[in-house]
Amino acid sequence: MKITIITGGLREPSSTRLLADRLAAAVTHELEAQGEPVELSFVELRPLAHPIMDAMLTGFTGEALDTAFETIAGADGVIAVTPAFNASFSGLFKSFFDVLPEETLSDMPVLIAASGGTERHSLVLEHALRPMFSYLHAIVSPRPVYAATSDFGTQDGAALGARITAAAADFTRLLRACGPRTRETQEDADLATMRGLLGGN
């Protein structure tokens, strides 16, 4: 099973990346316990900030951004993690999905997560991330994860650990129910384009 983790942390080290790593480890553990081999790949948005802005301004994507798009398109599932700013996702995170080719996430199982300063912003998951991914036709896992700064400051992080474990179990069931994605080849895309030009025949 190919899982791509998209992480929008803006600092190094990043609590957003830390949350993404823990989610990836929990999902890997769940899948491997069920005999499913896992291949992880990461798409860090911070190094792509300039290519993302260039794509927004010019409509053209560079090699780095194309590679990120291909990595996501080739996945069976995505874990998407953003920092929460002003009770919403970060501008960089949103901009990336603004330039992501349409239908890339169509029918893709997605586990959403966010990190932020306080628990007061946890609804960002339901009023910002879930609607956006639903609009992109992704299949959003039912249990997202929010991590506040205090979650990382406790001795054992037990509460966050329990939320991550529960979310990973849900996401794993969703991945297995959906199965490996059918990947469209360039020939398929060309054929679809030709059919469109011929009026769908």
Side-chain angles (χ1 to χ4, degrees):
M1 194 75 74
K2 293 184 177 180
I3 308 295
T4 295
I5 301 94
I6 304 170
T7 174
L10 300 178
R11 298 181 181 86
E12 291 181 332
S14 161
S15 59
T16 304
R17 175 58 193 257
L18 180 60
L19 176 59
D21 287 342
R22 291 185 64 176
L23 286 166
V27 170
T28 299
H29 176 76
E30 287 281 342
L31 286 170
E32 290 183 344
Q34 299 171 34
E36 188 79 55
V38 179
E39 182 180 330
L40 296 178
S41 56
F42 284 82
V43 173
E44 289 271 5
L45 300 188
R46 184 173 184 268
L48 296 173
H50 289 291
I52 290 169
M53 188 55 63
D54 289 343
M56 295 188 76
L57 294 175
T58 67
F60 295 99
T61 56
E63 183 178 347
L65 207 50
D66 286 338
T67 299
F69 294 162
E70 289 169 10
T71 300
I72 295 167
D76 298 309
V78 162
I79 300 171
V81 190
T82 179
F85 291 134
N86 297 324
S88 187
F89 33 53
S90 73
L92 177 62
F93 187 83
K94 178 62 167 59
S95 297
F96 177 74
F97 290 100
D98 285 345
V99 298
L100 183 70
E102 288 185 30
E103 302 301 323
T104 300
L105 292 178
S106 184
D107 300 326
M108 177 87 76
V110 175
L111 172 58
I112 55 176
S115 62
T118 75
E119 298 84 351
R120 290 179 298 174
H121 299 304
S122 61
L123 281 177
V124 64
L125 295 163
E126 300 300 337
H127 74 68
L129 271 76
R130 189 179 298 279
M132 183 185 77
F133 284 104
S134 294
Y135 176 80
L136 296 172
H137 303 150
I139 306 171
V140 185
S141 193
R143 197 174 339 219
V145 177
Y146 183 86
T149 301
S150 58
D151 284 312
F152 296 107
T154 57
Q155 285 290 327
D156 56 5
L160 176 59
R163 297 200 300 275
I164 288 173
T165 299
D170 284 351
F171 185 54
T172 300
R173 283 194 294 275
L174 182 61
L175 286 168
R176 291 179 63 84
C178 293
R181 295 183 80 227
T182 302
R183 291 164 180 85
E184 188 178 75
T185 64
Q186 187 59 48
E187 288 76 17
D188 294 331
D190 292 343
L191 183 58
T193 301
M194 185 62 69
R195 283 177 174 159
L197 292 173
L198 294 174
N201 296 317

